Amino acid sequence: MSLVNFTKTELKNLFSKPATEKYPDGPATYKEGTRGHIVNNMDACVLCGVCQMRCPTRAITVDRKGQTWSIRPFSCIQCRRCVDNCPKKSLSMAKEYTEPDVEKSQMDFELSDRQKEVLAEQARQAAERAKAAMLATKQKTVQAKEDKPGEKPGADPDPGKADK
Amino acid sequence: MAGKRSVIPFGPQHPVLPEPIHIDLITEDEKVVEAVPSIGFVHRGLEQLVTKKDFGEMVYVAERICGICSFGHGYGYVNAIEHIMDIHPTDRARFIRTMLFELSRMHSHILWLGLMADAFGFESLFMETWKYREKILDMLEAATGGRVIFSIIRIGGLRKDVPDEVMQGFLPELDKVVEGIKSCEKVFLSDPAVLSRLKGIGYLSKEDAIALGCEGPFLRASGVDTDNRMRGYAAYSSVDFDIITSDEGDSYARCYVRIQEIYQSASIIRQCIEKMPKEGIYVPIKGFPNGEYMTVIEQPRGGACYYVHSSGRKFIERMRVRTPTFANIPALTKTLQGCDVADVPILVVTIDPCISCTER
Ligand code: SF4
Ligand code: SF4
């Protein structure tokens, strides 16, 4: 009896379209949101290194000196942790799986020229700010030193100055 | 007069075994009189990694204990840590976790049906069942972004929300899967050729099942009604379901219990989607876990225990997992006693062996 049942299923399968995809002859289809591989937008990355710190398999290397961002795709477990933690939202997850390879390669990406300029400009501004801050501290110390003799017993103290 | 005894090695490489386990079958003519199992071929030392990965990263390792019940392993570990840190995930997180857990159970049981069909040599039935398993994997992929390792669970809730539209889309798909499994059920449970391979084969009595410490569908097929989901972890306390048992205790009963559990899981998933609360999916955590906890959850193959011991540092000191297959191996050797050599592959499959999680 049940063999007849299964014959029905088999006949149906014979005349319906295949349940599988002919990958790699045809393109593979992915769901929306499939965790395929990591892509970094080198126009937005600031090489802060958060992704490197957060990656559980240490697949990412950030080289601030050489201005490169590298990933070892065969160490990456597509967990999305780096994407969730990137402060500049420069990382994203593409749907397609990593291409097969014959060796465990590393992929290096250099910052785009524009981003290099942006970072250089930011660095310059930061340096200026640091310099200004240093000058301000220096001035404060000098002033404090000048104020000190005033605190000596006998001298006329200026109570307002200490607060400045 | 007793026949001449000989030893037939079964595994670690055998067509019916997806993973390596070795059993020495001591046979007399065509009958097995004793079975001596040995395991340890795929030990990976994952538990030791808790001392190398911080407690948040360890979730990814816990998920990788096994490729079939990966969600459950992640959940077991996270559940233990959440108890230590006294974190209460939001209702939505609990319901989504339950839904994903049941989807995993469905795909695991359907996988088992396929392996069973393969073990008794019904190739087209094997492919037919896996066709439906594929639909479940697609659902998991749509919900989490992964087909095998989901990376969606984290301590305190979930890392990603599953949109309501996506979950609503699961309902018609689930109907299709249930319908498909119903058509396969007729073959599994009433085909004379299949019945001759299952009925009365590998009988395990209720007393033996309890004495040997069996777990999961293997135990329930011997008429013992225990199911760790009844403890009400995740959102199981908010959904309706029964414990499915059978009194027959043979391979047929194990097949029956698993098929019924597929329907039951589908019903739990529907209830979860219906009752899905709206609020957030994550509660922030503070500090490091300090204390110890042991949790038991119901994996597709049975109860799995997770023990975590931590002393307030970033790195946990000890984690221990006891998986259901480990608990079922003693009973397997019992059911193998007295069976025909030709039935050994089927009996090994009936416990739904998952060796990589047994050895971790
Ligand atoms: S976290 Fe984002 S911005 Fe920072 S280095 Fe990584 S990719 Fe670049
Ligand atoms: S997806 Fe995960 S493993 Fe891959 S690079 Fe990002 S953090 Fe590392």
Side-chain angles (χ1 to χ4, degrees), chain A residues 2-3 5-6 9-10 13 19 30-35 54-58 77 79-81 84 97, chain B residues 53 56-57 60 64 122 124-125 128 131 138 141-142 144-147 149-151 159 186-187 190-192:
Chain A
S2 52
L3 271 187
N5 268 328
F6 204 69
T9 314
E10 281 182 340
N13 285 345
Y30 300 97
K31 291 265 173 281
E32 210 45 62
T34 297
R35 298 194 314 273
R54 289 308 189 129
C55 173
T57 59
R58 316 284 174 259
I77 55 170
C79 67
R80 249 191 95 99
R81 207 176 185 208
D84 293 345
Y97 294 144
Chain B
K53 299 266 167 207
E57 285 177 350
Y60 304 110
R64 282 163 175 77
F122 204 149
S124 47
L125 183 60
E128 182 71 11
K131 189 170 93 186
D138 282 348
E141 189 179 2
T144 67
R147 293 165 64 82
I149 303 289
F150 309 123
S151 297
R159 297 182 53 218
K186 287 184 198 135
V187 187
S190 53
D191 184 282

Side-chain angles (χ1 to χ4, degrees), chain B residues 297-322:
Chain B
I297 60 170
E298 186 74 16
Q299 289 275 31
R301 291 162 179 77
C305 313
Y306 300 82
Y307 169 78
V308 173
H309 179 275
S310 171
S311 53
R313 278 193 295 256
K314 197 171 163 190
F315 298 96
I316 285 166
E317 274 166 5
R318 181 82 172 98
M319 169 185 164
R320 171 94 177 103
V321 183
R322 200 292 314 262

